[in-house]
Amino acid sequence: MKDPNGRPPKRLLEDPYNRRINYLRISVTDRCNLRCIYCTPAGRIEKLAHGEILSHEENLRIARTGVSLGIDKIRVTGGEPFVRKGIDSFLEKLAAIDGLRDLSLTTNGILLSRHIDRLMDIGIRRLNISLDTLNPEKYHRITGQDGFDRVWRGILTAMEKGFSPIKINVVALAGINDDELADLAALSLKYPLHVRFIEQMDCFGAAAQCAGRPALTETGIRKAISGIGDLVACDRSIPGNGPASRFRIRQAFGEAAGGSPRKAPGEIGFISPVSHHFCSRCNRLRLTADGRLRSCLLSGATIDIRGPLRSGADDAELAEIIVRAVEKKPREQEEAGRKTDCGAKMYAIGG
Ligand code: SAM
């Protein structure tokens, strides 16, 4: 069957459990300028050799093939995407792929200010920025760097320039930032930020400060932020629903004072991979920096696409490899079977 323009119909990616896979996350590097305690293992980190990492051209070729199979949403992640040389022109070429509807970026924000005008020019508007504390000293303790002011400046600049949505990723860390969760949630009362609390997954070889502590679950996080107001569920039909359940805070004291309740400009989200699996809604495929397609964050069962790409595979063969990776997607993360060892490190997969 052909469409009205005479083109053959697009072959769409669907896994054996009828999930449409339209979202590709590309990790462009395993290098990062931070060493967050929940992400990077203590001690020496094994880095990929330069030749093991996919070139921008290789990533673009895989992305184009993915888009030809119905991928219409790509997120670039890392490591830290902004430490990769040539990232801006890579993003520009990615943004130009015909059929790509949504291009976004996950960053720790340290180098954001220096790239922000270029991102605007390229047309990227959606940013996820990781920030687990509002306390500069604690920021150092969590990330190993004195970076808080730079990240916060980057966030303010991104808001001024009109990026939207700007999502702030907060990993909830028992005994580390649990005393600040309400302050972080309150950012959504003042700014149009989407503050998303992420349950810490401890199967990625995190450093000793976190490993072994009972994870703070969504229930505990909700309790910690309950004092600032009621959570009103956002309309799920509004675009932008990923794995997060989304809310706005309605400030109780506005009503108590006789005024109408104030609706927050920003949102609160919970991403709860530990307590609430969202496998049934999962639409993702990941491409690691060393060219492996990973169909489940928690499964080490990956498929090499770099080898065939470098041995001269044509576009149809690359498409076949992507289809195969999607066919291997496990139904649920239990089936992936590695709850205590995800077969890779988070900094190498990209979250
Ligand atoms: N460097 C970028 C950044 O910091 O946003 C992108 C890579 S980072 C691996 C992507 C996301 O993974 C971050 O939002 C981070 O909070 C999250 N992440 C890393 N380790 C995690 C863990 N053990 N549990 C839950 N989320 C984690």
Side-chain angles (χ1 to χ4, degrees):
M1 204 173 87
K2 298 202 168 193
D3 76 4
N5 300 318
R7 290 183 298 241
K10 210 173 211 176
R11 184 175 172 194
L12 297 178
L13 291 169
E14 195 171 280
D15 76 5
Y17 309 100
N18 305 320
R19 292 172 297 198
R20 251 275 278 131
I21 309 304
N22 67 327
Y23 180 15
L24 177 66
R25 295 171 69 102
I26 303 179
S27 173
V28 290
T29 178
D30 63 330
R31 313 285 156 102
C32 190
N33 43 2
L34 298 181
R35 276 190 78 166
C36 299
I37 51 176
Y38 51 82
C39 183
T40 320
R44 220 177 125 256
I45 303 176
E46 297 290 333
K47 286 187 186 151
L48 293 170
H50 181 71
E52 291 178 289
I53 297 176
L54 291 183
S55 68
H56 289 317
E57 288 65 34
E58 288 170 330
N59 274 323
L60 282 166
R61 198 155 158 230
I62 296 167
R64 285 192 193 104
T65 309
V67 171
S68 77
L69 293 169
I71 295 285
D72 58 8
K73 180 173 172 182
I74 291 182
R75 172 171 297 280
V76 173
T77 177
E80 171 51 36
F82 288 131
V83 303
R84 178 89 198 248
K85 258 196 200 149
I87 186 71
D88 294 340
S89 70
F90 168 70
L91 291 170
E92 190 168 7
K93 287 177 190 147
L94 209 49
I97 296 176
D98 197 20
L100 186 64
R101 186 179 49 84
D102 183 338
L103 176 60
S104 58
L105 194 76
T106 300
T107 172
N108 58 35
I110 293 278
L111 299 172
L112 178 59
S113 297
R114 96 168 54 146
H115 292 267
I116 207 149
D117 287 332
R118 193 75 193 280
L119 295 184
M120 208 15 128
D121 291 346
I122 291 168
I124 293 177
R125 295 292 179 273
R126 303 166 67 83
L127 293 176
N128 284 16
I129 303 171
S130 300
L131 183 68
D132 307 307
T133 175
L134 298 172
N135 175 328
E137 278 165 36
K138 204 185 281 182
Y139 186 91
H140 189 136
R141 207 171 120 212
I142 294 172
T143 67
Q145 292 289 331
D146 277 329
F148 175 80
D149 291 340
R150 292 171 76 181
V151 176
W152 185 244
R153 248 196 330 273
I155 292 171
L156 292 177
T157 311
M159 280 191 285
E160 271 162 35
K161 302 245 173 205
F163 285 81
S164 176
I166 301 171
K167 298 182 181 173
I168 306 296
N169 283 353
V170 179
V171 179
L173 301 165
I176 297 177
N177 65 0
D178 44 3
D179 57 336
E180 276 193 84
L181 299 180
D183 293 341
L184 285 154
L187 291 176
S188 74
L189 291 171
K190 188 164 177 201
Y191 303 104
L193 295 171
H194 294 201
V195 180
R196 294 148 22 115
F197 295 103
I198 306 174
E199 289 176 345
Q200 186 203 347
M201 291 179 278
D202 63 0
C203 57
F204 291 99
Q209 292 98 311
C210 288
R213 283 174 189 266
L216 203 48
T217 60
E218 181 176 329
T219 309
I221 302 167
R222 281 174 178 262
K223 204 166 155 207
I225 67 171
S226 60
I228 53 173
D230 296 333
L231 293 181
V232 181
C234 293
D235 181 353
R236 284 202 68 81
S237 63
I238 296 170
N241 278 316
S245 42
R246 297 166 51 193
F247 302 86
R248 274 181 205 274
I249 297 175
R250 194 179 52 187
Q251 269 186 311
F253 54 79
E255 279 172 291
S260 55
R262 218 185 74 184
K263 207 172 143 206
E267 288 187 12
I268 298 291
F270 300 99
I271 302 182
S272 310
V274 179
S275 65
H276 297 81
H277 303 166
F278 33 81
C279 306
S280 64
R281 285 184 281 131
C282 184
N283 59 350
R284 303 164 173 210
L285 183 64
R286 292 175 167 84
L287 175 61
T288 63
D290 59 348
R292 302 197 70 86
L293 290 166
R294 194 176 178 103
S295 58
C296 171
L297 176 62
L298 294 182
S299 166
T302 59
I303 291 192
D304 175 39
I305 191 165
R306 184 187 68 194
L309 184 65
R310 292 185 180 173
S311 317
D314 63 20
D315 289 348
E317 286 164 325
L318 290 184
E320 242 1 274
I321 294 166
I322 296 175
V323 168
R324 218 165 357 107
V326 167
E327 281 169 356
K328 283 193 149 212
K329 195 170 171 71
R331 187 158 60 93
E332 290 187 355
Q333 48 177 256
E334 272 88 351
E335 210 179 296
R338 306 196 181 203
K339 292 205 92 179
T340 51
D341 175 8
C342 307
K345 303 292 177 259
M346 193 66 118
Y347 64 88
I349 308 172

